[in-house]
Each structure stands twice: as structure tokens, then as C-alpha cells.
Amino acid sequence: MFLSFPIDRVRADFPILHQQVYKRPLVYFDNAASTQKPVQVIDAIRRYYEQDNCNIHRGVHYLSVKATEAFEETRKEIREFINARDTREIIFTKGTTESLNLVASSFGKRYIRPGDEVIATIMEHHSNFVPWQQMCLECGATLRVAGIDDRGMLNVGELFGMISEKTRMITLTHVSNVLGTINPVKEIIAEAHKHGIPVLIDGAQGISHLPVDVQDMDCDFYCFSGHKMYGPMGIGVLYGKEKCLEELPPYQMGGEMIKEVYVDHTTFNELPFKFEAGTPNVEGVAGLRAALHYLNELGMDNIMDYEASLLKYATEKLAGIEGVRFYGTSDWKASLISFLIGKIHPYDVGMIIDKMGIAVRTGHHCAMPLMDYLHIPGTVRASFAFYNTMEEIDWMALAVAKAKKMLE
Amino acid sequence: MFLSFPIDRVRADFPILHQQVYKRPLVYFDNAASTQKPVQVIDAIRRYYEQDNCNIHRGVHYLSVKATEAFEETRKEIREFINARDTREIIFTKGTTESLNLVASSFGKRYIRPGDEVIATIMEHHSNFVPWQQMCLECGATLRVAGIDDRGMLNVGELFGMISEKTRMITLTHVSNVLGTINPVKEIIAEAHKHGIPVLIDGAQGISHLPVDVQDMDCDFYCFSGHKMYGPMGIGVLYGKEKCLEELPPYQMGGEMIKEVYVDHTTFNELPFKFEAGTPNVEGVAGLRAALHYLNELGMDNIMDYEASLLKYATEKLAGIEGVRFYGTSDWKASLISFLIGKIHPYDVGMIIDKMGIAVRTGHHCAMPLMDYLHIPGTVRASFAFYNTMEEIDWMALAVAKAKKMLE
Amino acid sequence: MTIKEAEKQIIQEFSVYDDWLDKYNFLVEMGKSLPMIDPEYQTDTYLISGCQSKVWLYARLSDGKVIFTADSDAIITKGIISLLIRVFSGQAPDDILHADLTFIDQIGLKENLSPNRSNGLVSMIKQMKLYAQVFKMKQG
Amino acid sequence: MTIKEAEKQIIQEFSVYDDWLDKYNFLVEMGKSLPMIDPEYQTDTYLISGCQSKVWLYARLSDGKVIFTADSDAIITKGIISLLIRVFSGQAPDDILHADLTFIDQIGLKENLSPNRSNGLVSMIKQMKLYAQVFKMKQG
Ligand SMILES: Cc1ncc(COP(=O)(O)O)c(C=O)c1O
Ligand SMILES: Cc1ncc(COP(=O)(O)O)c(C=O)c1O
């Protein structure tokens, strides 16, 4: 199936891939940190600044009306992309981290009392761990943390066992940015809802690899970043069920989130504006729109298939190098591989293969609780996007073998 | 002096200005809402995505190191641009509104107790009013609000009279986005410091019109947005004295602001990273850098002189139309004019002159407390940038006269 | 006159003008001729939110038809609402509820009267349909 | 040997290699030969923060000279710190404090060992100078 993936045409769309690094062709395997942008996105940004740039909403003049319409059109397209029920449920933020902080902060203010509990997992990214941890510490609540098994799969039973009448929220990642594990979010959400507990899904790594349908999943919140889905930096989305968002107090103040301000009090605008404070990143939204179009045209199913083949091939190739240990071997896995070789420090591997033009990420991947749990200092992580090729994987395997020889 | 301003060359740098709107050349006088971007900024963004795009800081590979260096170089250049003492005092945010919310929230948590007071002014933008108002409401503190005189100048005496041992913070705008008034911030800061009270300056409208020297001003915090200073959207700056920032608790959690995360607690990174949560807008920073270069090359003094001549000319021209009333006639004024004509609603004026290609802003300009104070529903605001011309002002005066005739 | 007919009439009237300014001039004239709302309804209760200018809208049912009156502090907004009143006032609740207005696109003001929060066109139509809905329910 | 002389020697040794990989190979060899730190100093107290890998650094004063020992869990980091130790260990506190190292630029590793938080080079130099500062104060 993946043989039909138009890889040459796709690669041609990404200018950055055609450069040399240390006199070698760049091999970019750091996609889980940030994806590269197709020329369509870059052009959309340029066009936005050359033709449409303006502050939006309250303006009556031509540019402002035009920019506002494009902005609100994008909201509709994002609603469609994740199959939300209503555009009122789509909030633009600066990224996943802000979306998560927004919910943790507003949810905490509204609902969390001393003695309450929030459940997370040991594989959470700091951005979906620390906001809840700190909010719980402030409120006198407890953050409970479900573990994983040998293959890096969530102990769903353990998580379900933590649910009690004290539980106010379950927050977990759709896809682990370290292990690649795709969590059984639908099953967890269904169980949580039996107890009336809302569930937040951190979609930072989910949105670019899987078709996402928030109504089918039935999550209460879903968060993602533009820059990890081939769109610009500085823009992200918070999806929330209308009912949930309605009940949360506003987060930041100023701009379109306001209805009326008096010296002694303020009334707030309705959804989605209630959570959009300050001049929004209209450029970011314009770029994100182009990214959506790009993904829709390729088709998330095709992307999934092609990436699955990359993952399979890379796993086989690396497994052929003696001493390589994988972290995360779930059957349900997105296209990234975390590994270590013997006693070699991941940093050393990253430094050496970088000199061969290969960009991987090394370290704790902003998941220190997971590193502690696994008793490792970090991993080498190669994360793939649909513009990567089998040949690049061959080259990485050679480079890793060479690094191993040098460093052992 | 302004005769020597290279207006033709400057205009050539701004692609968006060379378009037709309703078959008339666009006249963009909505610069206080957002400025247009020179081709140098647009190119910097394109170049960033075509050559350098990467997530920064913890990466060891070539692109990541390169992107990190450019990011940190920009921090140095911003330090220089506002003459901060140290790069640790420069925090990247998504914009002024976020900078202000950050300080209000963290300052509130750290310092504000029931009975305390914060002083603001009636001319604040909602973004520098509502965060403090809501924080005060939450903490049981009081927001006190200093008024203005007939010319739209701050009643400094009234403000000084409000200072007491209950005062914890004074927050005010450098330049009013409605009245154009340049506040005597240095004098106010000096007086506040005599009482040991920190002062925050909202520089959203100051940074693009005036040379800013935070050490000379001696403010404790200064906030501004990239998009109002010819840079990209989605990026802004919070300057804070190191001592002040050190004492504030972190705001958002996740990403580079973290040092170490344990299941039950977290330690935070040092300045400036402590306040930068999530993947930063590296693109925005790259674009902002190009904007800084552009401003430095033109010279803030030259910009100030040229804009002063635009302001003077526009004021004279509009004053020639019977029934025009100005709001804000301070001798110390940035290049924007708020006005009304007879009983005509500002919205009507904006709509009509838009059809003649002129983009002005109408309404309350996110300063409802000021509108209430002035007993008006809003104003028509023409705000000028250094790429505007005397001819454009002539055309606006004609258009306003025509609108007046139509609407009276 | 049905809603469709009223729309047609408006489209015809506007078709005389090619120029934006002339169309607006006409709109302003319409605004000036809008019968003002009874001052007792010019209160916050009848205020439509989401407009940059203030719009007060009141409706009553008379012989099974909805009668609208309105006012605004901005003359162009008055003009816009006067068009909506010409189309909707005197119509049956059900007809108002099911109407899918097209005249706005066709008089060539679409770009100006786009569903942009600042002109509040969407809010006005929504509010008028809400009145119709309420009257329909009251009627049974 | 002065600091400058030690730098010169390192620059010469590296000048043999044109290739990044060879330079790194050499660095790795240096790392392997770094005399390890006494285990009692391999604790959090002696840990340098700001490195992706762990670096422990300990110093003592002997005959008016600062003697450094260090270790790291990453071999390249060890290589880097071994270069710093060659340059700084056995030097007087004042000389260390006033040294402006240039060898990093000149051995052709500048882009790799840039003041990027992940390799911690800046933190290492800072920490070594801090030791020198402390010893200087004790002496004086
Ligand atoms: C699983 C996960 N959650 C959250 C984030 C934070 O995303 P951002 O840095 O774009 O806010 C990331 C990416 O770093 C991630 O991988
Ligand atoms: C004086 C003032 N403060 C704050 C802001 C808010 O800036 P931003 O919307 O870029 O966050 C603005 C601009 O709208 C302003 O004019």
C-alpha cells in the first residue's frame, strides 16, 4: 500500500530537506519535536503578510474583515478536521502547553478542592504533568500516576483501580512522545464517563499521526500544536466540549475575550472568544490552515500506512545492531523509536550521528518521571514523518553502527 | 528634518501597501492595532522555515543548535534595543497581553493579600486593566484608578495621592492607544520607588514610536508585542528586572522552564527560561529579529521625527473640518489621532471611509473604562506609522469630509 | 408581500447603483427613514449584543404576523436593520423562521456586511428569528 | 606550561584531523583517558547543571595551583572536560579567572561546542572559574 505513497512529490514540497549538513544530505528524524513545513505553508504565511495582515475581529475596514473571515474559516476547518460538534469548541492557543495550562488552571479554580484527586500516567510529557501537579499542590489535591508494562503500554487496570469518588479528572497523552505507545483512549474515556469523570487527551503527538475524531473518542478536552503537524510555530488548539468550556472560568484577560469592562468588574465574551485573550496569532492560523489542507490532501489514512511501513523497517534495521534496546514496543505505536545501545550514553550517539547528517533527539524528552521509572538517563529518539524514506533509515542504521563502534 | 526621511524606499519595503482596496490605493491608518511587515521580516520567516526550522534548546543536532543560537542571539539584541542590563531579564511571550497576565498572576500569587491595593489609570487598555482587576477581586485587594484631564493627560497628582502603605504595584501604559498621550513614566516610577513600590509599564504602543531605555526609565517591568513593531504575530516580550523576576513564581508549566520533574514535585529552571513554557515561537523570534534590524537601521529618532510631522499635519488637516473633536491633545503625544464629528457615530465614519480605501479603527479600542469616563461610545482612530505619507493624510481628510456630508 | 418578494424589491432598488458609495448613501437614507423604536424599548433588555454600534430591537405579534421596530445609534446599522425589517416585519413566525435570506449577497454588500462580529448582522437576524420562535411557541 | 601554551598544544593535536568524525574520535579517546573523579565527589553536590549528560567536577588547591578532576556519564562530554582540565588544571587561580579560552574555536569544534545549553560547555567553564574564585579569596 505504501508503495503508492507519492514520496518524491511530497519531499519536493519541503525545501528544508534539500540541504546539506556537514556536507551530507540532512536526514531529519526529529519530527516529534517539531515537523518541517511544506512550501504551501510557507507561502500561506508570506501571502498573509503581503496581502492580508491585520488585527482581527473588531475592525470594520476591508483588511480587517478579510483577515477575520479567514481566521474564522480556519476555525471551521479545524472543527471538521477533528470532527468537533461546533466551532465554539475550538479555541486557538499558542500551543499544546498553553492549552494544557489553560485547562489545568481554570479547571483547578472551578472544581478542585482539598482531598480531590487527578489521575495522570507516568508517560506524560512535562507539559501534561507539571501543570496538574502544581495545580494539585496549590489546591491541596493529589496527582495519582498510573504506570506502564515492559512494552511501554499503559497499565489500564492500574489506572482504573485509581478511580474513586475523589477523582475529578483523568489526563493522559494520546501517543507517548518517548515510547510511541498509542493509548486506548476510547476505552479509558468510556470507563471514566461511567463515573462522571472528564478526560483530557494530550494530542500533541496524536494529531499528526492518526485520524482524530473527538466525538467518536468522546474526550472532554483535546490539545495540540501547529508546529508538530506541519504548521507554524506559536499556534495551537484547545478543543473542549461546549458544556465543559462553558463552565470553566476564563484564563487570560484582555482582547476579544471581553464583553464589557467597568472600573469594578468585567463581563466576558462567549465561546470560543472567552478563552482567546490578546491579539491572536492570525499568521499562525493562516499557516495552520494551509497545513490542514496539505494533510487532508495526502489523507491521514495514507500517512498512517506509510509511516507504519517506515516504523517497521526502522525497527528491523536497528534491531540488527547488536546491543540495541528499544523502549516502547507496543503493537499500537506511532512512528517513533526510542533506543539505547549497551552502556553508551544517548548524548554521545546523538552527537556522532549528527556529524553524519542525521538529526535525532537525545535526552529525557521532557518526560523525566518516565526516565526515572525506566532507570535510564534518556534515550536516542528517531521520530519519522511522511517525508522520510527507507533510504534515510538505511543511512541511520549505518551511522548508529558506526557510532557504536566508536563509542564502545 | 523629516524631509530627509527615505519614505519612498521605506514604502517599497512593505508589499501590502501597494494594493488596491475597492479600486483605490490602500491607506493603512490602523497601525496601533497592528503594523505591517517589511519584506525583510517576511523573508526572515521564509528563510527560517526553508533553512533552519527546529525545536530549540535541548537538541544536540545541527539544526537545533543553529536555531537555538539564533534564538538566543535575538534575546541579546532585544536586551540591547531596550537597554536591559542582562539577557536574563528578557522573556519571550506570545504578546503584550500574555506578558501582562503573567505578571499580574504571578505577582498576585506572591505578593497580594486582602486589603492591598494596585493602582492603574483610566486610560489602560483592557489587557493592562482586566488582569489586575480580576486578580484583585480574587485576592480581596482593590484596584484604584487614576483619571485624566481635559487634554487626555494623566492626573499625576491624583495618582500620587493614591499611593499609600497598602499600594503593592502601579501599572500604567507608556502611550495611550486611544489618546496618544505619552505618560511621564520616569517621574511616576521615581515617585513610586521612593515608597518601594514596583511599576509596570505597558509598552505595546511605546516600543514602536519611542526609543525605550528600561534602565534609564527604571521601570520594574516593561511589556510589548512583536506585531505592533513591524514584527510577526504571536511573539512578544516581557522585560523584568532580574530581582523582580527572580522573586515571582513561574506562570505556565512545561518545556524549557523546568529543571527536574519528580512524581511529587518539580524544580524550575533559571531566568529567563523559568517563564518560557512550551515550545517557543522560534519563527516569531526570527521575524522579530529582522524587525529590530529594520528599526535600528531607520533609527528610532528619525522615526519619531517623521511620525511627529505626520501627526502635526493630520491634526491640522482634520481640525479644518467643522465639527471634528479630538480626544487626546497632550503636547506629548504619539502619532495617532482619536476623533469624533458632531453627533455622527464612529462606526459610520469608519464604514464610509473604508470604501474610499482608508483603514482606520473605530469603537472603544479595548478601553471601555476610558469611553465611560469620556461619555462616548467610541472614537475614530487614525494611527500612523513611518510608512505613511502626507498625501495619504490629505486623502483621509477629503474622505472624512465626504463621510461627514453623507452622514449628517 | 412575501419575504422573497421583499428581498427581490430591495435587490432591484440597489441594482441602480454600481458604486459602493452610492449604495451606502442609499443605505444611509434608508436608515434615516427607519421608524424609531418606542423609547421604552430603548433599554438594555432590547439591546442586541455583538454589534459595534448599539441596536435595539422589539417585536410584537399582531394578527399572527410579527411586527418589528428597531433603532441604532449608528446610521448605517439603522439602514441595515431597516432592510431586515422590510423583509421580516409583517410576516408569519414560521416564514421568518424558515427564511434563508439571499438579498445581502445580491445587493453587492456582501463583503461589507459579512458575518463579522462588528456589524452584528448575524446577531440581528438571529434575534429576529428568536422573536419568531417565541411567538410561534406562544401561538401553539 | 601556561594556559596559552596548553591551548596551543591542543590546537596542534587537533590540526591533524580535517574530518568531523576524526576530531570526535580523538575527543572520545581523550574522554576515555580522563582520570576519573574520586567516587566520593561523584554526588549531586559536585554535579554541574545545564548539561544533557551528567558532569561531576571537583577541585582542590595544591601549592597555590588549582587541581581539577572530573567525570561524566557521556564520553564526548568527558572528552571536552578533559581538554578543559588540560588547560586549567595546575594553573594559578588568577590565571584561570582571567583566561579567555580560544582553543575551542580554533580546533574546529565551535559549531559543535557552541554555548548551547545541551553540552554544558559554558556551565563547565563557569564552574571552573568559580572554583578559582573561591580559592583566590581563601588565599587572599
Ligand atoms: C506528548 C506531548 N505533549 C505536549 C507537548 C508540548 O507541546 P508544545 O511544546 O508545542 O506546547 C509535546 C511536545 O513537546 C508532546 O510531545
Ligand atoms: C496599550 C496596549 N496595551 C496592550 C495591548 C495588547 O497587545 P496584544 O493584543 O498584542 O497582546 C494593546 C494592543 O492592542 C495596546 O494598545
Side-chain angles (χ1 to χ4, degrees):
Chain A
M1 185 159 218
F2 67 83
L3 288 175
S4 67
F5 192 79
I7 182 67
D8 290 339
R9 182 167 66 69
V10 164
R11 282 186 71 82
D13 285 335
F14 289 80
I16 202 171
L17 299 178
H18 307 287
Q19 70 179 293
Q20 303 256 320
V21 158
Y22 308 112
K23 303 193 192 115
R24 317 244 190 193
L26 170 66
V27 173
Y28 187 76
F29 284 164
D30 194 16
N31 293 291
S34 200
T35 54
Q36 299 303 340
K37 322 304 171 199
V39 70
Q40 288 84 344
V41 168
I42 302 171
D43 280 350
I45 294 173
R46 187 177 46 69
R47 216 177 313 118
Y48 171 74
Y49 281 133
E50 287 185 0
Q51 298 175 12
D52 307 329
N53 174 59
C54 194
N55 208 325
I56 58 165
H57 292 308
R58 312 197 184 219
V60 301
H61 61 78
Y62 178 82
L63 281 186
S64 181
V65 173
K66 199 168 148 200
T68 304
E69 271 175 7
F71 188 85
E72 294 301 332
E73 267 315 305
T74 310
R75 205 190 297 276
K76 287 187 202 157
E77 292 179 12
I78 287 175
R79 185 203 66 68
E80 240 168 84
F81 190 72
I82 62 170
N83 192 32
R85 219 176 40 79
D86 199 292
T87 51
R88 295 159 58 83
E89 302 178 321
I90 307 297
I91 316 284
F92 287 116
T93 66
K94 70 173 172 178
T96 308
T97 301
E98 181 170 64
S99 301
L100 293 165
N101 275 274
L102 190 165
V103 179
S105 165
S106 291
F107 192 89
K109 276 191 190 166
R110 176 78 173 76
Y111 294 109
I112 304 289
R113 301 290 165 263
D116 286 351
E117 294 184 355
V118 172
I119 301 176
T121 86
I122 196 70
M123 68 170 88
E124 295 313 310
H125 187 280
H126 292 165
S127 292
N128 193 31
F129 194 88
V130 185
W132 298 101
Q133 180 198 61
Q134 296 295 307
M135 183 274 282
C136 285
L137 287 173
E138 260 180 50
C139 296
T142 304
L143 181 67
R144 303 202 56 184
V145 184
I148 54 173
D149 68 14
D150 286 354
R151 301 172 66 194
M153 293 169 77
L154 185 62
N155 286 331
V156 176
E158 185 190 349
L159 190 152
F160 286 169
M162 290 175 171
I163 294 178
S164 76
E165 74 287 355
K166 294 184 200 158
T167 313
R168 292 288 159 270
M169 167 69 90
I170 297 174
T171 186
L172 80 159
T173 194
H174 196 173
V175 173
S176 160
N177 69 315
V178 177
L179 308 163
T181 313
I182 302 172
N183 283 316
V185 289
K186 220 175 141 173
E187 178 192 345
I188 294 169
I189 292 164
E191 178 66 19
H193 285 178
K194 278 190 208 152
H195 300 82
I197 301 165
V199 180
L200 179 148
I201 303 296
D202 171 356
Q205 297 295 339
I207 196 77
S208 57
H209 295 299
L210 307 168
V212 170
D213 181 332
V214 292
Q215 288 190 77
D216 177 60
M217 197 188 290
D218 203 24
C219 57
D220 300 276
F221 301 97
Y222 195 91
C223 306
F224 55 95
S225 298
H227 74 98
K228 289 186 199 275
M229 57 186 294
Y230 313 94
M233 289 182 140
I235 189 72
V237 170
L238 164 63
Y239 158 80
K241 281 186 187 162
E242 189 167 340
K243 188 174 60 69
C244 299
L245 290 173
E246 281 292 1
E247 293 189 5
L248 295 188
Y251 178 57
Q252 293 183 337
M253 313 290 156
E256 195 61 14
M257 59 78 66
I258 276 162
K259 194 169 161 208
E260 281 175 315
V261 180
Y262 302 90
V263 165
D264 58 350
H265 75 286
T266 295
T267 58
F268 300 109
N269 203 339
E270 50 187 39
L271 290 175
F273 310 108
K274 173 178 151 191
F275 291 107
E276 294 180 356
T279 301
N281 186 351
V282 192
E283 173 228 295
V285 168
L288 185 56
R289 188 181 194 184
L292 281 191
H293 293 178
Y294 196 87
L295 290 174
N296 280 332
E297 223 182 89
L298 271 183
M300 288 310 296
D301 287 330
N302 296 328
I303 290 171
M304 233 185 8
D305 285 344
Y306 180 70
E307 287 183 353
S309 67
L310 289 173
L311 177 65
K312 186 158 171 284
Y313 187 66
T315 306
E316 284 164 13
K317 274 291 191 173
L318 287 173
I321 300 169
E322 214 197 291
V324 165
R325 292 190 307 285
F326 295 113
Y327 292 87
T329 53
S330 166
D331 291 333
W332 303 99
K333 216 185 134 171
S335 60
L336 67 85
I337 299 183
S338 265
F339 66 95
L340 287 176
I341 319 169
K343 291 185 171 173
I344 302 174
H345 196 281
Y347 172 77
D348 289 328
V349 179
M351 284 293 271
I352 297 301
I353 70 175
D354 170 51
K355 302 302 156 311
M356 301 171 77
I358 297 163
V360 294
R361 191 138 297 230
T362 61
H364 54 62
H365 314 298
C366 292
M368 288 192 194
L370 179 59
M371 296 301 126
D372 283 349
Y373 192 84
L374 296 171
H375 300 295
I376 52 174
T379 70
V380 182
R381 182 186 70 188
S383 53
F384 310 114
F386 56 70
Y387 43 62
N388 290 130
T389 66
M390 305 295 162
E391 291 74 35
E392 288 180 322
I393 289 170
D394 287 337
W395 178 236
M396 173 181 70
L398 275 177
V400 168
K402 184 155 185 173
K404 183 194 165 205
K405 216 168 122 203
M406 249 177 91
L407 294 163
E408 248 173 10
Chain B
M1 184 159 221
F2 67 84
L3 289 174
S4 67
F5 193 79
I7 182 69
D8 290 338
R9 182 167 66 69
V10 164
R11 282 185 72 81
D13 285 335
F14 290 80
I16 202 170
L17 299 178
H18 308 288
Q19 71 179 294
Q20 303 255 321
V21 158
Y22 309 113
K23 302 192 192 113
R24 317 244 190 191
L26 169 67
V27 173
Y28 187 76
F29 284 165
D30 194 15
N31 294 290
S34 200
T35 54
Q36 299 303 342
K37 321 304 170 199
V39 70
Q40 288 83 345
V41 168
I42 301 171
D43 280 350
I45 294 173
R46 187 176 46 69
R47 216 176 313 118
Y48 171 74
Y49 281 133
E50 287 185 0
Q51 298 174 12
D52 306 330
N53 174 59
C54 195
N55 208 325
I56 58 165
H57 292 308
R58 310 197 184 219
V60 301
H61 61 77
Y62 178 82
L63 280 186
S64 181
V65 172
K66 199 169 149 199
T68 304
E69 271 176 7
F71 188 84
E72 294 301 330
E73 267 316 305
T74 310
R75 203 190 297 276
K76 287 186 202 159
E77 291 180 13
I78 287 176
R79 185 204 65 69
E80 238 169 85
F81 191 71
I82 62 171
N83 192 32
R85 218 177 40 79
D86 200 292
T87 50
R88 295 159 59 83
E89 302 178 323
I90 307 297
I91 316 284
F92 287 116
T93 66
K94 71 173 174 179
T96 308
T97 301
E98 180 170 64
S99 301
L100 293 165
N101 275 274
L102 190 167
V103 179
S105 165
S106 291
F107 192 90
K109 277 191 190 166
R110 176 78 174 77
Y111 293 109
I112 304 290
R113 301 289 165 265
D116 287 349
E117 294 184 357
V118 171
I119 301 175
T121 87
I122 196 71
M123 67 171 88
E124 297 312 310
H125 187 279
H126 292 165
S127 292
N128 193 32
F129 194 87
V130 185
W132 298 102
Q133 180 197 61
Q134 295 296 308
M135 183 274 284
C136 285
L137 287 173
E138 261 180 49
C139 297
T142 305
L143 181 68
R144 304 202 54 184
V145 183
I148 54 172
D149 69 13
D150 286 354
R151 302 172 65 194
M153 293 168 78
L154 185 62
N155 285 332
V156 177
E158 186 189 348
L159 191 152
F160 287 169
M162 289 176 172
I163 294 178
S164 76
E165 73 286 356
K166 294 186 202 159
T167 313
R168 292 289 159 269
M169 169 67 92
I170 297 174
T171 186
L172 80 160
T173 193
H174 196 172
V175 173
S176 161
N177 68 316
V178 177
L179 307 162
T181 312
I182 301 172
N183 283 316
V185 288
K186 218 175 142 171
E187 178 191 345
I188 293 167
I189 292 163
E191 179 67 21
H193 285 178
K194 277 189 209 152
H195 300 82
I197 301 165
V199 181
L200 179 148
I201 303 296
D202 171 357
Q205 297 295 338
I207 196 77
S208 58
H209 296 299
L210 306 168
V212 170
D213 180 331
V214 291
Q215 286 192 79
D216 178 60
M217 198 188 287
D218 203 23
C219 57
D220 300 276
F221 301 98
Y222 195 90
C223 306
F224 55 95
S225 299
H227 74 98
K228 289 186 199 275
M229 58 187 292
Y230 313 94
M233 290 182 140
I235 189 73
V237 171
L238 164 62
Y239 158 81
K241 282 186 186 162
E242 189 168 340
K243 188 174 60 68
C244 299
L245 290 174
E246 282 293 0
E247 293 190 4
L248 295 188
Y251 178 56
Q252 293 182 338
M253 312 290 157
E256 195 59 15
M257 58 78 66
I258 276 162
K259 194 170 161 207
E260 281 173 315
V261 179
Y262 302 91
V263 166
D264 59 349
H265 76 286
T266 295
T267 59
F268 301 108
N269 202 340
E270 49 187 39
L271 290 174
F273 310 108
K274 173 177 151 190
F275 291 106
E276 294 180 356
T279 300
N281 186 350
V282 192
E283 172 227 295
V285 168
L288 184 56
R289 188 182 194 183
L292 281 190
H293 294 178
Y294 196 87
L295 290 174
N296 280 333
E297 220 183 273
L298 271 183
M300 288 309 296
D301 287 331
N302 296 328
I303 290 171
M304 231 182 14
D305 285 344
Y306 180 69
E307 287 184 353
S309 68
L310 290 173
L311 177 66
K312 185 159 174 283
Y313 187 66
T315 307
E316 284 164 13
K317 275 292 193 171
L318 288 173
I321 300 169
E322 215 196 291
V324 165
R325 291 190 309 286
F326 295 113
Y327 292 87
T329 54
S330 166
D331 292 333
W332 304 99
K333 215 184 135 172
S335 60
L336 68 84
I337 299 182
S338 265
F339 66 96
L340 287 175
I341 319 169
K343 292 187 172 170
I344 302 174
H345 196 282
Y347 172 78
D348 289 328
V349 180
M351 284 292 271
I352 297 302
I353 71 175
D354 170 50
K355 302 302 158 308
M356 302 172 75
I358 298 163
V360 294
R361 192 138 294 231
T362 61
H364 54 63
H365 314 298
C366 292
M368 288 192 193
L370 179 60
M371 297 300 127
D372 283 350
Y373 193 85
L374 297 170
H375 301 295
I376 53 174
T379 71
V380 182
R381 181 187 71 186
S383 53
F384 311 114
F386 56 69
Y387 44 62
N388 291 131
T389 67
M390 305 295 164
E391 293 73 34
E392 288 180 321
I393 289 170
D394 287 337
W395 179 236
M396 173 180 70
L398 277 176
V400 169
K402 184 155 184 174
K404 182 193 167 205
K405 218 168 121 202
M406 252 179 89
L407 294 164
E408 249 173 9
Chain C
M1 195 161 14
T2 66
I3 290 178
K4 275 276 154 266
E5 285 165 355
E7 284 198 273
K8 215 166 170 181
Q9 200 179 63
I10 292 172
I11 293 165
Q12 249 166 14
E13 287 170 13
F14 269 90
S15 70
V16 180
Y17 311 107
D18 332 301
D19 193 63
W20 300 110
L21 276 174
D22 292 336
K23 285 188 208 278
Y24 270 86
N25 243 328
F26 186 60
L27 206 58
V28 165
E29 292 314 312
M30 306 281 261
K32 286 182 183 163
S33 66
L34 179 71
M36 297 234 286
I37 203 169
D38 200 321
E40 76 175 285
Y41 302 118
Q42 207 163 323
T43 63
D44 281 1
T45 319
Y46 299 95
L47 201 60
I48 298 178
S49 67
C51 310
Q52 203 181 86
S53 46
K54 289 188 174 172
V55 175
W56 300 271
L57 177 73
Y58 174 72
R60 59 193 167 82
L61 197 67
S62 164
D63 283 339
K65 310 285 182 189
V66 189
I67 309 298
F68 290 103
T69 54
D71 201 358
S72 171
D73 56 351
I75 192 84
I76 292 174
T77 312
K78 263 170 105 159
I80 295 168
I81 196 137
S82 79
L83 296 179
L84 291 175
I85 287 181
R86 271 179 64 186
V87 170
F88 278 155
S89 202
Q91 306 290 346
D94 239 358
D95 294 340
I96 295 170
L97 273 173
H98 296 116
D100 194 8
L101 298 187
T102 60
F103 79 94
I104 292 153
D105 287 15
Q106 294 187 42
I107 60 178
L109 290 179
K110 191 190 170 189
E111 282 180 56
N112 308 280
L113 306 182
S114 64
N116 168 338
R117 288 172 24 85
S118 58
N119 66 47
L121 184 67
V122 170
S123 309
M124 291 181 213
I125 296 175
K126 204 167 138 191
Q127 190 64 24
M128 291 173 109
K129 293 205 171 199
L130 201 67
Y131 270 117
Q133 179 71 47
V134 171
F135 288 134
K136 186 186 166 187
M137 280 174 2
K138 273 195 189 157
Q139 283 179 311
Chain D
M1 199 164 8
T2 66
I3 290 178
K4 274 275 154 269
E5 284 164 357
E7 285 198 272
K8 215 166 169 182
Q9 200 180 61
I10 291 170
I11 293 163
Q12 249 167 12
E13 286 169 14
F14 270 89
S15 70
V16 180
Y17 312 107
D18 330 302
D19 193 65
W20 298 112
L21 277 174
D22 293 337
K23 284 187 210 276
Y24 270 87
N25 242 330
F26 187 59
L27 206 58
V28 165
E29 291 315 312
M30 307 281 262
K32 286 183 182 161
S33 66
L34 179 71
M36 296 234 288
I37 203 170
D38 200 322
E40 75 176 287
Y41 302 119
Q42 207 164 323
T43 63
D44 281 2
T45 318
Y46 298 96
L47 201 61
I48 297 178
S49 65
C51 309
Q52 206 182 82
S53 46
K54 288 188 175 175
V55 175
W56 299 271
L57 178 74
Y58 173 70
R60 60 192 166 80
L61 197 67
S62 165
D63 284 340
K65 311 287 182 187
V66 188
I67 309 299
F68 289 104
T69 53
D71 201 358
S72 171
D73 56 350
I75 191 84
I76 292 174
T77 313
K78 263 170 105 160
I80 295 168
I81 197 138
S82 79
L83 296 179
L84 291 175
I85 287 182
R86 270 180 66 185
V87 170
F88 278 156
S89 202
Q91 305 290 346
D94 238 0
D95 294 340
I96 295 169
L97 274 172
H98 296 114
D100 195 8
L101 299 187
T102 60
F103 79 94
I104 292 152
D105 287 15
Q106 294 187 42
I107 60 179
L109 290 178
K110 192 188 170 189
E111 282 180 56
N112 307 280
L113 306 181
S114 65
N116 170 339
R117 287 174 23 86
S118 57
N119 66 46
L121 185 68
V122 170
S123 308
M124 291 180 213
I125 296 175
K126 206 167 137 190
Q127 190 64 25
M128 291 174 109
K129 293 205 171 198
L130 202 67
Y131 270 116
Q133 179 72 50
V134 170
F135 289 132
K136 187 187 165 184
M137 280 175 1
K138 273 194 190 159
Q139 284 180 311

